[in-house]
Amino acid sequence: MYQVYNVYAICAFAAIGGGLFGFDISSMSGVLGTMAYTNYFNVHGGLRQGGITGAMPAGSFVGALASSFIADRVSRKTAIQIAALVWILGSILQTCSNGVAMLVAGRVIAGLCVGIASTIVPIYQAEIAPKEIRGRVVTLQQWAITWGILVQYFIQYGASFTAGGAANPNQGTAAFRIPWAVQIVPAATLFVGLFFCPYSPRWLATQDRWEEAIRNLANMHGYGDISHPNVLAQYQEIEAALRFERQEASSSYKVLTEPRMMKRVILGMSIQMWAQLSGMNVLMYYIVYVMQTAGIGDPLLAASIQYILNVALTLPAIIFLDKWGRRPSLLVGAFSMMILLIIIGTLEAIYGTPNPRTDPSLDAISWVIVGRPAVSKAIVACSYLFVCSFAVTWGPTSWTYPSEIFPNQIRAKAVSLTTATNWGWNGALAFATPSLFKAISWKMYMIFAAFNGLAFVHMFLTARETKGKTLEEMDDVFDVGRPAWRTAPKGSRLDALQREIEEGNLKIIAPDVMIETINPKRG
């Protein structure tokens, strides 16, 4: 079967799995402002809406925990394909839902897919990418998430005009069924397209399928030449690392509890936790409520600008993350988001008033800005800047960092725990936020600002820089006595090994590989 070996093309296509995460986030925000959804499911904010929104992250939590068992057995690629089929089933149930129960069931099933895909896609990308662009290609996962959010939101925005528009009390169910049906298309595309993508060479190595592993390395990193110095150097690094891990029997969950590995597990889980507690996904799920509080006349249109900014500002991270590094992104992002949330909360506290309950469309919120257009514009502007800050920093880095800091034998297991942490907090916040909007209004922003402050301190003390290092060098990065804030030595062991091979000072014999005369597609 024809195979694509261009790393950018493979990673970009696999990132469609991240796009499904984006579709999930936006699958609620666009319909919240329509009378069709509100009346059909009898939802007016509060716990019922929290339960519907939180169903997807709940399924994703379970999917993330199960992902390592699937990916270690059937491969990273096949695990993503299984996730795509699960998403299709969940989307069908949502589209055909005749009540809250069926809608929740569909969202839980679709959530299983998102949990698997959001765990395995970054692993698959990290395992096939060279160290020089690993951050860039794994960041494509986050960019796909932002595109999923944007595309689904505009599909929903367009569908909201059906049958008299979003404000029509008799609006038909097409306003929410059309967007939920359309999201089947990317999952079906992902399932079919992955047949033309290669298996991860590092997964093949863990299965002792060395001939296939070296063939894939050669096709992706050596222009089809298995004797290319870079291919031989990578083979040597992977083989040595796997041999050491097997000698240490380091392939079970028990290894994750050992002190040297536990530090990394806690760090990876913490990064995913802080990414959720930053408040970003709250703004994504419930941006309509934020705009309504600010007194924006057309909250659906104003919210769409936020989604466009989210897509656009992720692009600089794709280009520069491997240059400016992971650690600065985490620190700058946490600090800037903290400041912006404090400003939003302060403005609402000073200029806001309790909701007089004269407009039924505002029943989901308890605090409004009335007659102060300058304040409303400032709140919207800070919301946009907050999204930009997250998009450039924590958005891409929170997926890249956990996928690259663990050894091959336990990578899927460890990343499944970090991603499950993401979904656990995601679900809790999705469930609680509608009630928070009603109960504590502006104080909610201050709480999230405090979380960002704690994240800044935590990352300063524990997050080490990983740019420019191979996956097999992460033990060298983390198992040293140097404080996290001290600059690590530059350079990579792989580069030195490749130079030794090129200069003829080191001879490495890879297993015999029968390769046809090929011209791998490199784009």
PDB file of all heavy atoms in Angstrom, residues 412-444:
ATOM      1  N   ALA A 412       3.301   5.622  26.670  1.00  0.00           N
ATOM      2  CA  ALA A 412       1.848   5.632  26.514  1.00  0.00           C
ATOM      3  C   ALA A 412       1.145   5.579  27.868  1.00  0.00           C
ATOM      4  O   ALA A 412       0.133   6.256  28.079  1.00  0.00           O
ATOM      5  CB  ALA A 412       1.408   4.454  25.648  1.00  0.00           C
ATOM      6  N   LYS A 413       1.673   4.794  28.785  1.00  0.00           N
ATOM      7  CA  LYS A 413       1.061   4.693  30.110  1.00  0.00           C
ATOM      8  C   LYS A 413       1.132   6.026  30.853  1.00  0.00           C
ATOM      9  O   LYS A 413       0.146   6.487  31.447  1.00  0.00           O
ATOM     10  CB  LYS A 413       1.752   3.602  30.939  1.00  0.00           C
ATOM     11  CG  LYS A 413       1.589   2.185  30.399  1.00  0.00           C
ATOM     12  CD  LYS A 413       2.324   1.181  31.266  1.00  0.00           C
ATOM     13  CE  LYS A 413       2.084  -0.258  30.792  1.00  0.00           C
ATOM     14  NZ  LYS A 413       2.671  -0.509  29.459  1.00  0.00           N
ATOM     15  N   ALA A 414       2.316   6.650  30.819  1.00  0.00           N
ATOM     16  CA  ALA A 414       2.496   7.907  31.547  1.00  0.00           C
ATOM     17  C   ALA A 414       1.667   9.026  30.922  1.00  0.00           C
ATOM     18  O   ALA A 414       1.013   9.800  31.648  1.00  0.00           O
ATOM     19  CB  ALA A 414       3.978   8.286  31.567  1.00  0.00           C
ATOM     20  N   VAL A 415       1.676   9.113  29.603  1.00  0.00           N
ATOM     21  CA  VAL A 415       0.921  10.178  28.940  1.00  0.00           C
ATOM     22  C   VAL A 415      -0.574   9.968  29.123  1.00  0.00           C
ATOM     23  O   VAL A 415      -1.340  10.932  29.192  1.00  0.00           O
ATOM     24  CB  VAL A 415       1.305  10.273  27.449  1.00  0.00           C
ATOM     25  CG1 VAL A 415       0.463  11.339  26.743  1.00  0.00           C
ATOM     26  CG2 VAL A 415       2.783  10.623  27.308  1.00  0.00           C
ATOM     27  N   SER A 416      -1.009   8.709  29.218  1.00  0.00           N
ATOM     28  CA  SER A 416      -2.433   8.470  29.474  1.00  0.00           C
ATOM     29  C   SER A 416      -2.847   9.063  30.814  1.00  0.00           C
ATOM     30  O   SER A 416      -3.950   9.592  30.955  1.00  0.00           O
ATOM     31  CB  SER A 416      -2.746   6.971  29.424  1.00  0.00           C
ATOM     32  OG  SER A 416      -2.268   6.289  30.568  1.00  0.00           O
ATOM     33  N   LEU A 417      -1.957   9.002  31.800  1.00  0.00           N
ATOM     34  CA  LEU A 417      -2.259   9.590  33.108  1.00  0.00           C
ATOM     35  C   LEU A 417      -2.289  11.111  33.038  1.00  0.00           C
ATOM     36  O   LEU A 417      -3.161  11.756  33.644  1.00  0.00           O
ATOM     37  CB  LEU A 417      -1.224   9.136  34.141  1.00  0.00           C
ATOM     38  CG  LEU A 417      -1.224   7.652  34.506  1.00  0.00           C
ATOM     39  CD1 LEU A 417      -0.122   7.360  35.525  1.00  0.00           C
ATOM     40  CD2 LEU A 417      -2.581   7.224  35.077  1.00  0.00           C
ATOM     41  N   THR A 418      -1.335  11.692  32.299  1.00  0.00           N
ATOM     42  CA  THR A 418      -1.334  13.154  32.201  1.00  0.00           C
ATOM     43  C   THR A 418      -2.569  13.646  31.462  1.00  0.00           C
ATOM     44  O   THR A 418      -3.189  14.646  31.862  1.00  0.00           O
ATOM     45  CB  THR A 418      -0.062  13.659  31.489  1.00  0.00           C
ATOM     46  OG1 THR A 418      -0.056  13.233  30.128  1.00  0.00           O
ATOM     47  CG2 THR A 418       1.188  13.134  32.174  1.00  0.00           C
ATOM     48  N   THR A 419      -2.957  12.952  30.381  1.00  0.00           N
ATOM     49  CA  THR A 419      -4.129  13.369  29.621  1.00  0.00           C
ATOM     50  C   THR A 419      -5.412  13.130  30.406  1.00  0.00           C
ATOM     51  O   THR A 419      -6.354  13.926  30.331  1.00  0.00           O
ATOM     52  CB  THR A 419      -4.191  12.642  28.272  1.00  0.00           C
ATOM     53  OG1 THR A 419      -2.935  12.791  27.602  1.00  0.00           O
ATOM     54  CG2 THR A 419      -5.281  13.207  27.392  1.00  0.00           C
ATOM     55  N   ALA A 420      -5.456  12.041  31.166  1.00  0.00           N
ATOM     56  CA  ALA A 420      -6.622  11.798  32.024  1.00  0.00           C
ATOM     57  C   ALA A 420      -6.774  12.925  33.035  1.00  0.00           C
ATOM     58  O   ALA A 420      -7.902  13.310  33.388  1.00  0.00           O
ATOM     59  CB  ALA A 420      -6.478  10.452  32.732  1.00  0.00           C
ATOM     60  N   THR A 421      -5.654  13.451  33.510  1.00  0.00           N
ATOM     61  CA  THR A 421      -5.711  14.598  34.417  1.00  0.00           C
ATOM     62  C   THR A 421      -6.365  15.789  33.733  1.00  0.00           C
ATOM     63  O   THR A 421      -7.205  16.490  34.318  1.00  0.00           O
ATOM     64  CB  THR A 421      -4.287  14.979  34.880  1.00  0.00           C
ATOM     65  OG1 THR A 421      -3.686  13.856  35.509  1.00  0.00           O
ATOM     66  CG2 THR A 421      -4.327  16.149  35.849  1.00  0.00           C
ATOM     67  N   ASN A 422      -5.959  16.026  32.474  1.00  0.00           N
ATOM     68  CA  ASN A 422      -6.581  17.099  31.694  1.00  0.00           C
ATOM     69  C   ASN A 422      -8.090  16.932  31.667  1.00  0.00           C
ATOM     70  O   ASN A 422      -8.853  17.864  31.953  1.00  0.00           O
ATOM     71  CB  ASN A 422      -6.004  17.066  30.269  1.00  0.00           C
ATOM     72  CG  ASN A 422      -6.640  18.074  29.333  1.00  0.00           C
ATOM     73  OD1 ASN A 422      -7.848  18.069  29.108  1.00  0.00           O
ATOM     74  ND2 ASN A 422      -5.826  18.927  28.751  1.00  0.00           N
ATOM     75  N   TRP A 423      -8.525  15.710  31.350  1.00  0.00           N
ATOM     76  CA  TRP A 423      -9.959  15.498  31.173  1.00  0.00           C
ATOM     77  C   TRP A 423     -10.709  15.461  32.494  1.00  0.00           C
ATOM     78  O   TRP A 423     -11.877  15.846  32.558  1.00  0.00           O
ATOM     79  CB  TRP A 423     -10.192  14.227  30.374  1.00  0.00           C
ATOM     80  CG  TRP A 423      -9.824  14.426  28.948  1.00  0.00           C
ATOM     81  CD1 TRP A 423      -8.775  13.867  28.272  1.00  0.00           C
ATOM     82  CD2 TRP A 423     -10.471  15.289  28.015  1.00  0.00           C
ATOM     83  NE1 TRP A 423      -8.736  14.327  26.983  1.00  0.00           N
ATOM     84  CE2 TRP A 423      -9.761  15.207  26.791  1.00  0.00           C
ATOM     85  CE3 TRP A 423     -11.571  16.131  28.090  1.00  0.00           C
ATOM     86  CZ2 TRP A 423     -10.130  15.930  25.669  1.00  0.00           C
ATOM     87  CZ3 TRP A 423     -11.944  16.848  26.963  1.00  0.00           C
ATOM     88  CH2 TRP A 423     -11.226  16.742  25.774  1.00  0.00           C
ATOM     89  N   GLY A 424     -10.045  15.006  33.541  1.00  0.00           N
ATOM     90  CA  GLY A 424     -10.693  15.051  34.850  1.00  0.00           C
ATOM     91  C   GLY A 424     -11.030  16.468  35.260  1.00  0.00           C
ATOM     92  O   GLY A 424     -12.162  16.778  35.683  1.00  0.00           O
ATOM     93  N   TRP A 425     -10.052  17.363  35.129  1.00  0.00           N
ATOM     94  CA  TRP A 425     -10.293  18.773  35.470  1.00  0.00           C
ATOM     95  C   TRP A 425     -11.213  19.435  34.456  1.00  0.00           C
ATOM     96  O   TRP A 425     -12.049  20.281  34.817  1.00  0.00           O
ATOM     97  CB  TRP A 425      -8.966  19.523  35.560  1.00  0.00           C
ATOM     98  CG  TRP A 425      -8.206  19.210  36.811  1.00  0.00           C
ATOM     99  CD1 TRP A 425      -7.141  18.370  36.952  1.00  0.00           C
ATOM    100  CD2 TRP A 425      -8.485  19.710  38.120  1.00  0.00           C
ATOM    101  NE1 TRP A 425      -6.735  18.317  38.262  1.00  0.00           N
ATOM    102  CE2 TRP A 425      -7.539  19.135  39.007  1.00  0.00           C
ATOM    103  CE3 TRP A 425      -9.438  20.594  38.638  1.00  0.00           C
ATOM    104  CZ2 TRP A 425      -7.524  19.416  40.366  1.00  0.00           C
ATOM    105  CZ3 TRP A 425      -9.427  20.878  40.002  1.00  0.00           C
ATOM    106  CH2 TRP A 425      -8.476  20.293  40.845  1.00  0.00           C
ATOM    107  N   ASN A 426     -11.076  19.065  33.192  1.00  0.00           N
ATOM    108  CA  ASN A 426     -11.950  19.609  32.165  1.00  0.00           C
ATOM    109  C   ASN A 426     -13.408  19.306  32.492  1.00  0.00           C
ATOM    110  O   ASN A 426     -14.282  20.179  32.433  1.00  0.00           O
ATOM    111  CB  ASN A 426     -11.558  19.006  30.803  1.00  0.00           C
ATOM    112  CG  ASN A 426     -12.287  19.648  29.631  1.00  0.00           C
ATOM    113  OD1 ASN A 426     -13.506  19.767  29.637  1.00  0.00           O
ATOM    114  ND2 ASN A 426     -11.539  20.023  28.613  1.00  0.00           N
ATOM    115  N   GLY A 427     -13.668  18.039  32.845  1.00  0.00           N
ATOM    116  CA  GLY A 427     -15.037  17.648  33.165  1.00  0.00           C
ATOM    117  C   GLY A 427     -15.570  18.341  34.394  1.00  0.00           C
ATOM    118  O   GLY A 427     -16.727  18.790  34.431  1.00  0.00           O
ATOM    119  N   ALA A 428     -14.741  18.448  35.439  1.00  0.00           N
ATOM    120  CA  ALA A 428     -15.166  19.111  36.674  1.00  0.00           C
ATOM    121  C   ALA A 428     -15.518  20.570  36.415  1.00  0.00           C
ATOM    122  O   ALA A 428     -16.535  21.084  36.907  1.00  0.00           O
ATOM    123  CB  ALA A 428     -14.060  18.996  37.724  1.00  0.00           C
ATOM    124  N   LEU A 429     -14.676  21.241  35.620  1.00  0.00           N
ATOM    125  CA  LEU A 429     -14.931  22.653  35.339  1.00  0.00           C
ATOM    126  C   LEU A 429     -16.126  22.833  34.422  1.00  0.00           C
ATOM    127  O   LEU A 429     -16.918  23.768  34.599  1.00  0.00           O
ATOM    128  CB  LEU A 429     -13.682  23.283  34.708  1.00  0.00           C
ATOM    129  CG  LEU A 429     -12.471  23.413  35.641  1.00  0.00           C
ATOM    130  CD1 LEU A 429     -11.248  23.860  34.854  1.00  0.00           C
ATOM    131  CD2 LEU A 429     -12.765  24.401  36.761  1.00  0.00           C
ATOM    132  N   ALA A 430     -16.265  21.960  33.415  1.00  0.00           N
ATOM    133  CA  ALA A 430     -17.417  22.052  32.518  1.00  0.00           C
ATOM    134  C   ALA A 430     -18.724  21.885  33.290  1.00  0.00           C
ATOM    135  O   ALA A 430     -19.725  22.560  33.006  1.00  0.00           O
ATOM    136  CB  ALA A 430     -17.317  20.988  31.425  1.00  0.00           C
ATOM    137  N   PHE A 431     -18.700  21.001  34.291  1.00  0.00           N
ATOM    138  CA  PHE A 431     -19.896  20.756  35.089  1.00  0.00           C
ATOM    139  C   PHE A 431     -20.184  21.910  36.049  1.00  0.00           C
ATOM    140  O   PHE A 431     -21.328  22.325  36.228  1.00  0.00           O
ATOM    141  CB  PHE A 431     -19.722  19.465  35.882  1.00  0.00           C
ATOM    142  CG  PHE A 431     -20.893  19.122  36.776  1.00  0.00           C
ATOM    143  CD1 PHE A 431     -22.056  18.599  36.243  1.00  0.00           C
ATOM    144  CD2 PHE A 431     -20.833  19.335  38.141  1.00  0.00           C
ATOM    145  CE1 PHE A 431     -23.140  18.292  37.049  1.00  0.00           C
ATOM    146  CE2 PHE A 431     -21.910  19.040  38.967  1.00  0.00           C
ATOM    147  CZ  PHE A 431     -23.068  18.511  38.419  1.00  0.00           C
ATOM    148  N   ALA A 432     -19.130  22.459  36.654  1.00  0.00           N
ATOM    149  CA  ALA A 432     -19.316  23.448  37.717  1.00  0.00           C
ATOM    150  C   ALA A 432     -19.475  24.871  37.211  1.00  0.00           C
ATOM    151  O   ALA A 432     -20.100  25.705  37.885  1.00  0.00           O
ATOM    152  CB  ALA A 432     -18.136  23.386  38.691  1.00  0.00           C
ATOM    153  N   THR A 433     -18.935  25.185  36.035  1.00  0.00           N
ATOM    154  CA  THR A 433     -18.883  26.583  35.599  1.00  0.00           C
ATOM    155  C   THR A 433     -20.249  27.241  35.450  1.00  0.00           C
ATOM    156  O   THR A 433     -20.410  28.402  35.866  1.00  0.00           O
ATOM    157  CB  THR A 433     -18.086  26.695  34.284  1.00  0.00           C
ATOM    158  OG1 THR A 433     -16.740  26.276  34.536  1.00  0.00           O
ATOM    159  CG2 THR A 433     -18.078  28.127  33.778  1.00  0.00           C
ATOM    160  N   PRO A 434     -21.271  26.591  34.851  1.00  0.00           N
ATOM    161  CA  PRO A 434     -22.568  27.272  34.774  1.00  0.00           C
ATOM    162  C   PRO A 434     -23.087  27.701  36.148  1.00  0.00           C
ATOM    163  O   PRO A 434     -23.638  28.794  36.298  1.00  0.00           O
ATOM    164  CB  PRO A 434     -23.482  26.207  34.141  1.00  0.00           C
ATOM    165  CG  PRO A 434     -22.564  25.348  33.351  1.00  0.00           C
ATOM    166  CD  PRO A 434     -21.300  25.277  34.168  1.00  0.00           C
ATOM    167  N   SER A 435     -22.891  26.859  37.149  1.00  0.00           N
ATOM    168  CA  SER A 435     -23.314  27.220  38.501  1.00  0.00           C
ATOM    169  C   SER A 435     -22.454  28.346  39.069  1.00  0.00           C
ATOM    170  O   SER A 435     -22.947  29.225  39.796  1.00  0.00           O
ATOM    171  CB  SER A 435     -23.244  25.995  39.425  1.00  0.00           C
ATOM    172  OG  SER A 435     -24.121  24.983  38.971  1.00  0.00           O
ATOM    173  N   LEU A 436     -21.158  28.332  38.725  1.00  0.00           N
ATOM    174  CA  LEU A 436     -20.270  29.404  39.187  1.00  0.00           C
ATOM    175  C   LEU A 436     -20.674  30.744  38.590  1.00  0.00           C
ATOM    176  O   LEU A 436     -20.632  31.774  39.271  1.00  0.00           O
ATOM    177  CB  LEU A 436     -18.823  29.082  38.826  1.00  0.00           C
ATOM    178  CG  LEU A 436     -18.152  27.946  39.600  1.00  0.00           C
ATOM    179  CD1 LEU A 436     -16.759  27.683  39.052  1.00  0.00           C
ATOM    180  CD2 LEU A 436     -18.070  28.275  41.086  1.00  0.00           C
ATOM    181  N   PHE A 437     -21.056  30.748  37.308  1.00  0.00           N
ATOM    182  CA  PHE A 437     -21.499  31.992  36.684  1.00  0.00           C
ATOM    183  C   PHE A 437     -22.695  32.570  37.436  1.00  0.00           C
ATOM    184  O   PHE A 437     -22.836  33.789  37.553  1.00  0.00           O
ATOM    185  CB  PHE A 437     -21.885  31.742  35.224  1.00  0.00           C
ATOM    186  CG  PHE A 437     -20.765  31.968  34.245  1.00  0.00           C
ATOM    187  CD1 PHE A 437     -20.198  30.906  33.576  1.00  0.00           C
ATOM    188  CD2 PHE A 437     -20.274  33.239  34.000  1.00  0.00           C
ATOM    189  CE1 PHE A 437     -19.159  31.109  32.666  1.00  0.00           C
ATOM    190  CE2 PHE A 437     -19.240  33.447  33.096  1.00  0.00           C
ATOM    191  CZ  PHE A 437     -18.680  32.383  32.428  1.00  0.00           C
ATOM    192  N   LYS A 438     -23.546  31.685  37.927  1.00  0.00           N
ATOM    193  CA  LYS A 438     -24.720  32.160  38.661  1.00  0.00           C
ATOM    194  C   LYS A 438     -24.396  32.547  40.100  1.00  0.00           C
ATOM    195  O   LYS A 438     -24.922  33.519  40.634  1.00  0.00           O
ATOM    196  CB  LYS A 438     -25.805  31.073  38.672  1.00  0.00           C
ATOM    197  CG  LYS A 438     -26.604  30.973  37.385  1.00  0.00           C
ATOM    198  CD  LYS A 438     -27.797  30.044  37.563  1.00  0.00           C
ATOM    199  CE  LYS A 438     -28.707  30.083  36.346  1.00  0.00           C
ATOM    200  NZ  LYS A 438     -29.914  29.236  36.519  1.00  0.00           N
ATOM    201  N   ALA A 439     -23.495  31.781  40.738  1.00  0.00           N
ATOM    202  CA  ALA A 439     -23.278  31.942  42.178  1.00  0.00           C
ATOM    203  C   ALA A 439     -22.272  33.019  42.543  1.00  0.00           C
ATOM    204  O   ALA A 439     -22.515  33.822  43.449  1.00  0.00           O
ATOM    205  CB  ALA A 439     -22.860  30.597  42.789  1.00  0.00           C
ATOM    206  N   ILE A 440     -21.115  33.040  41.850  1.00  0.00           N
ATOM    207  CA  ILE A 440     -20.050  33.954  42.297  1.00  0.00           C
ATOM    208  C   ILE A 440     -19.614  34.938  41.223  1.00  0.00           C
ATOM    209  O   ILE A 440     -18.756  35.793  41.491  1.00  0.00           O
ATOM    210  CB  ILE A 440     -18.820  33.176  42.816  1.00  0.00           C
ATOM    211  CG1 ILE A 440     -18.194  32.333  41.690  1.00  0.00           C
ATOM    212  CG2 ILE A 440     -19.194  32.300  43.992  1.00  0.00           C
ATOM    213  CD1 ILE A 440     -16.909  31.655  42.107  1.00  0.00           C
ATOM    214  N   SER A 441     -20.167  34.838  40.031  1.00  0.00           N
ATOM    215  CA  SER A 441     -19.936  35.789  38.940  1.00  0.00           C
ATOM    216  C   SER A 441     -18.465  36.193  38.809  1.00  0.00           C
ATOM    217  O   SER A 441     -17.616  35.367  38.514  1.00  0.00           O
ATOM    218  CB  SER A 441     -20.842  37.019  39.128  1.00  0.00           C
ATOM    219  OG  SER A 441     -20.614  37.630  40.392  1.00  0.00           O
ATOM    220  N   TRP A 442     -18.143  37.466  39.055  1.00  0.00           N
ATOM    221  CA  TRP A 442     -16.798  37.986  38.801  1.00  0.00           C
ATOM    222  C   TRP A 442     -15.719  37.338  39.662  1.00  0.00           C
ATOM    223  O   TRP A 442     -14.542  37.322  39.292  1.00  0.00           O
ATOM    224  CB  TRP A 442     -16.768  39.502  38.998  1.00  0.00           C
ATOM    225  CG  TRP A 442     -17.112  39.947  40.407  1.00  0.00           C
ATOM    226  CD1 TRP A 442     -18.347  40.271  40.872  1.00  0.00           C
ATOM    227  CD2 TRP A 442     -16.217  40.099  41.506  1.00  0.00           C
ATOM    228  NE1 TRP A 442     -18.294  40.614  42.206  1.00  0.00           N
ATOM    229  CE2 TRP A 442     -16.974  40.521  42.622  1.00  0.00           C
ATOM    230  CE3 TRP A 442     -14.846  39.917  41.673  1.00  0.00           C
ATOM    231  CZ2 TRP A 442     -16.420  40.767  43.864  1.00  0.00           C
ATOM    232  CZ3 TRP A 442     -14.285  40.160  42.915  1.00  0.00           C
ATOM    233  CH2 TRP A 442     -15.063  40.581  43.990  1.00  0.00           C
ATOM    234  N   LYS A 443     -16.097  36.801  40.813  1.00  0.00           N
ATOM    235  CA  LYS A 443     -15.089  36.185  41.693  1.00  0.00           C
ATOM    236  C   LYS A 443     -14.443  34.960  41.035  1.00  0.00           C
ATOM    237  O   LYS A 443     -13.321  34.583  41.397  1.00  0.00           O
ATOM    238  CB  LYS A 443     -15.727  35.780  43.025  1.00  0.00           C
ATOM    239  CG  LYS A 443     -16.357  36.930  43.791  1.00  0.00           C
ATOM    240  CD  LYS A 443     -16.958  36.449  45.100  1.00  0.00           C
ATOM    241  CE  LYS A 443     -17.710  37.553  45.819  1.00  0.00           C
ATOM    242  NZ  LYS A 443     -18.974  37.918  45.125  1.00  0.00           N
ATOM    243  N   MET A 444     -15.159  34.356  40.081  1.00  0.00           N
ATOM    244  CA  MET A 444     -14.621  33.198  39.384  1.00  0.00           C
ATOM    245  C   MET A 444     -13.313  33.548  38.663  1.00  0.00           C
ATOM    246  O   MET A 444     -12.373  32.749  38.647  1.00  0.00           O
ATOM    247  CB  MET A 444     -15.648  32.685  38.374  1.00  0.00           C
ATOM    248  CG  MET A 444     -15.214  31.442  37.611  1.00  0.00           C
ATOM    249  SD  MET A 444     -16.487  30.914  36.445  1.00  0.00           S
ATOM    250  CE  MET A 444     -16.460  32.289  35.294  1.00  0.00           C
TER     251      MET A 444
END
